């Protein structure tokens, strides 16, 4: 048997793994269990290296973001043992690659303890002296096709990355990506090279504990694939206080240019950089980066080659044009070549440059832009997936299939009576993708070209229509919560015909008028709703496990409770059943809170403004219709009332305008819509999510305190007086830290007192409501009362509109009867108005055509 020492007497090693002790007592690793210095890490690495021995062996390592896996990885590299890095937690990949490559040593966790299983004392393979690392070409799969990387590849790419990122020994990077993924591994390598720290964790950025550890570890950077940035939007990253964060890196797939620009601009605001990067496993990790100062102005570009690397463009017949072609990379980080069996481990360098498979162009400013793809590889949720490998795997199970990447999902076309759930499970295990990213098309037969080869273009077209004989099977909730049914529910409540499983409530234009009904209907269906359900795609809404009877406890969002309580207080005080006032002013704050939640989303600017105008119409039209009907039948209202400007001209009898609240809310919303329609203002509110509404609140104090003596304060219900309450509610929704929530609370305590002369309890009610809105997301509530609260909250505007015509006609009756009748009539009008809207929508569009994707 021929071993390494027969080829070369000197064992190659990786300097950054070998020289850990040079960094002394600097902090190397931070975990939730404590810290480890470089000196301590080096000692553990040296001990493990001694156990691995001096005879080179192939070490299969189940990669994980924990100290044990890190130590084995560094020990193997420092002692010259090639590492075959596989995804930890993926038993199928572990078994598959163990069978395919017969490693000499297997390092993996077993029942919570790390074990190093020495299967033989000398290698069964011929290992080339330069071979240092083997990574899968397809992310988390068990594909036997591996990338062969050398010691020089790892060192050169780590040095290149550390150079253009400007990594300092004081930096501390969080491991937001898996160790077995070349992008995640490059973060580890480049920071160890510079003696920087690693905040080592397997937690998701969607987990609050991740951010607690990041702050405690004084994290200065983290890496993200496009899906990571989706999660950042959901968890309110823009409002987080991260005082040590210097920069964020992005790779692993294309992030939409508008999102690149948005995150870059936010970074400029908060004093941090965004590095957009481009790479492949075959280049160890990185090939290009976009200088952060260009991210906002050139977000569509991948940038320039990393230090030490270079690009050229090879002409491609399908992509003619000047400075356009297939992107080819050359540099010291280009792999040795591929391995498809153990016999390939003896090979040295078989490639000198890397054809990326991407079609690119070089712009006049010297930046490269990727504009297309030559091959069928797809990046889905940051994982590089080979659809042909998936086809091969399914064929082994006796399932003929056509697979391709489409958008952010893998499409699998099969035939006959195939079990879509079984297929999805097989593919998820093969690729490491979540089931929600796998769509199964069950066809009567697979489309073929005349040559007999699969017709992938036809399969792609089938993903966009509902051709007879095609059944779309998508992973999603079960037990009465099928995605198709959820899509129909969204279409029904939101009057939309374009609902897909990728749609979200806010993305479809949902607002506070439809939110309560939608949340209650969904909670009945799913059993529980996450706090950010209104921003989640339908496909991600899953049923909660059924709890034990003793654990069944229902909660209702505080905003819903405040709307319900406020409308009861408004009507009750008008009837003089009780004298608790302030409900309408509290509703203005809730309106600002809901405005921020439903209209200040990550959608395109134009779409957000359009949805806002639609919501404004949803308030104005039912109000005008009702007032017109009453005016037609009685003489109660004037033209000024009908046209909703009575607060401007005043009532003839000098009384308080009946609909001052609706007029004030409409004027405020129109003013905000006009303000945010200005792109510069919209960018400001995105950059200063909390500061912007607080600035508007401060501006509103001019009329709140009548600082210019315009006399607006003489008419309390005037729209000119109350905008500060709306802005404060807006700020409450954007308060992402306890300090910001405290600022909102203090602002309410400081500005509400004195607004109502000699009515301190009115002010107490408003302040207490603000405090609940800011500090208590939901309130426990019995099921029956939660349903009642939901109905009243949904119909609150309609109750406010109609109660003036109900309770005066019942003044001779018991006041409670007048209250209940007013509430019931308003709820009835709400139901009628909603049905009328849906009927008009149905007449216009015939029927909702829900397209399930």
């Amino acid at each position: 048997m021929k071993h390494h020492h027969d080829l070369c007497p000197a064992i190659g090693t990786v300097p950054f793994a070998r020289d850990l002790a040079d960094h002394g007592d600097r902090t190397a690793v931070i975990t939730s269990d404590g810290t480890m210095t470089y000196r301590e890490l080096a000692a553990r690495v040296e001990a493990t290296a001694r156990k691995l021995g001096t005879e080179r062996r192939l070490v299969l390592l189940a990669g994980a973001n924990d100290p044990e896996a890190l130590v084995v990885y560094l020990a193997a590299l420092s002692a010259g043992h090639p590492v075959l890095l596989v995804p930890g937690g993926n038993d199928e990949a572990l078994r598959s690659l163990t069978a395919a490559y017969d490693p000499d040593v297997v390092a993996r966790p077993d029942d919570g303890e790390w074990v190093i299983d020495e299967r033989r004392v000398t290698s069964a393979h011929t290992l080339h002296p330069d071979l240092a690392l083997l990574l899968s070409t397809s992310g988390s799969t068990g594909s036997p096709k591996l990338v062969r990387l050398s010691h020089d590849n790892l060192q050169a790419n780590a040095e290149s990355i550390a150079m253009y990122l400007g990594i300092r020994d004081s930096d501390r990077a969080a491991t937001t990506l898996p160790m077995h993924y070349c992008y995640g591994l490059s973060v580890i390598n480049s920071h160890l090279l510079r003696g920087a720290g690693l905040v080592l964790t397997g937690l998701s950025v969607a987990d609050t504990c991740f951010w607690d550890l990041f702050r405690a570890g004084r994290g200065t950077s983290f890496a993200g694939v496009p899906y990571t940035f989706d999660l950042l939007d959901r968890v309110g990253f823009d409002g987080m206080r991260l005082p040590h964060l210097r920069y964020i890196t992005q790779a692993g797939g294309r992030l939409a240019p508008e999102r690149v620009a948005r995150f870059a601009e936010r970074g400029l605001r908060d004093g941090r950089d965004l590095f957009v990067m481009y790479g492949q496993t075959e280049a160890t990790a990185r090939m290009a980066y976009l200088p952060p100062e260009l991210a906002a102005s050139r977000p569509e570009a991948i940038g320039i080659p990393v230090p030490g690397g270079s690009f050229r463009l090879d002409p491609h017949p399908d992509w003619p044009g000047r400075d356009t072609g297939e992107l080819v990379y050359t540099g010291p980080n280009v792999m040795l070549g591929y391995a498809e069996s153990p016999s390939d481990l003896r090979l040295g360098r078989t490639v000198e440059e890397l054809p990326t498979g991407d079609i690119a162009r070089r712009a006049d400013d010297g930046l490269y832009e990727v504009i297309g793809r030559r091959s069928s590889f797809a990046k889905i949720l940051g994982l590089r997936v080979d659809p042909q490998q998936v086809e091969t795997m399914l064929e082994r199970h006796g399932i003929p299939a056509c697979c391709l990447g489409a958008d952010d999902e893998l499409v699998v076309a099969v035939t006959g009576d195939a079990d879509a759930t079984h297929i999805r499970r097989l593919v998820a295990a093969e690729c490491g993708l979540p089931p929600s990213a796998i769509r199964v098309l069950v066809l009567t037969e697979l489309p073929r070209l005349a040559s007999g080869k699969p017709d992938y273009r036809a399969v792609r077209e089938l993903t966009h229509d509902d051709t007879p004989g095609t059944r779309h099977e998508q992973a999603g909730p079960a037990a009465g919560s099928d995605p198709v049914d959820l899509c129909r529910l969204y279409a029904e409540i939101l009057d939309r015909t374009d609902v897909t499983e990728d749609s979200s409530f806010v993305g479809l234009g949902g607002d506070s008028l439809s939110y309560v009904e939608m949340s209650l209907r969904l909670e009945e269906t799913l059993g529980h709703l996450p706090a950010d359900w209104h921003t989640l795609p339908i496909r991600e809404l899953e049923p909660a496990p059924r709890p034990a009877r003793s654990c069944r406890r229902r909660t209702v969002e505080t905003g819903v409770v405040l709307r319900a309580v406020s409308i009861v207080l408004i009507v009750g005080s008008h009837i003089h059943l009780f004298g608790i006032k302030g409900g309408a002013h509290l509703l203005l704050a809730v309106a600002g809170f809901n405005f921020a939640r439903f209209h200040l989303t990550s959608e395109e600017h134009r779409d957000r403004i359009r949805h806002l105008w639609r919501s404004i119409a949803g308030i104005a039209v039912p109000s005008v219709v009702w007032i017109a009907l009453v005016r037609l039948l009685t003489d109660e209202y004037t033209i000024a009332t009908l046209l909703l400007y009575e607060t401007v001209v005043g009532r003839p009898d000098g009384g308080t305008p009946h609909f001052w609240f609706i007029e004030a809310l409409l004027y405020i919303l129109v003013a905000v819509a006009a303000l945010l329609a200005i792109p510069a203002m919209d960018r400001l509110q995105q950059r200063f999510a909390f500061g912007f509404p607080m600035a508007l609140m401060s501006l509103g104090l001019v009329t709140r305190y009548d600082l210019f003596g315009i006399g607006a304060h003489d008419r309390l219900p005037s729209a000119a007086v109350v905008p500060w309450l709306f802005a404060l509610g807006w700020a409450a929704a954007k308060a992402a830290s306890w300090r910001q929530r405290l600022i909102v609370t203090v602002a309410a305590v400081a500005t509400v007192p004195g607004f109502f002369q000699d009515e301190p309890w009115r002010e107490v009610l408003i302040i207490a409501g603000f405090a609940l809105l800011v500090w208590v997301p939901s309130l426990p509530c019995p099921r029956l009362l939660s349903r009642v609260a939901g109905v009243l909250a949904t119909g609150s505007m309609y109750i406010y509109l109609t109660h003036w015509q109900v309770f005066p006609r019942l003044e001779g009756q018991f006041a409670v009867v007048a209250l209940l009748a007013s509430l019931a009539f308003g709820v009835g009008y709400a139901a009628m108005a909603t049905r009328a809207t849906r009927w008009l929508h149905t007449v216009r569009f015939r029927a909702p055509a829900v397209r399930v994707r």
Side-chain angles (χ1 to χ4, degrees), residues 58 131 262 297 302 350 400 402 406 434 467 531 550 627 629 652 683 686 708 729 781 813:
L58 178 62
L131 182 63
R262 178 158 59 87
S297 59
I302 62 169
T350 57
C402 289
T467 304
S550 61
I627 296 170
L629 179 63
R683 286 194 294 271
Q686 289 182 341
F708 293 154
C781 188
Q813 305 295 323

Side-chain angles (χ1 to χ4, degrees), residues 628-645:
L629 179 63
V630 173
R631 189 169 190 274
L632 183 66
L633 300 177
T634 71
D635 58 354
E636 291 185 45
Y637 298 140
T638 65
I639 288 293
T641 312
L642 176 64
L643 299 181
L644 299 176
Y645 68 93

Side-chain angles (χ1 to χ4, degrees), residues 429-444:
E430 175 76 10
C431 301
L433 290 172
S436 61
I438 301 165
R439 184 173 7 160
V440 179
L441 302 181
V442 182
L443 312 175
T444 53

Side-chain angles (χ1 to χ4, degrees), residues 176 203-208 210-211 222-223 227-228 231-232 235 240:
T176 47
L203 293 171
S204 165
V205 297
D207 194 323
T208 302
F210 170 87
W211 297 109
F222 63 88
Y227 183 61
T228 308
L231 295 177
L232 292 177
V235 300
M240 289 184 183

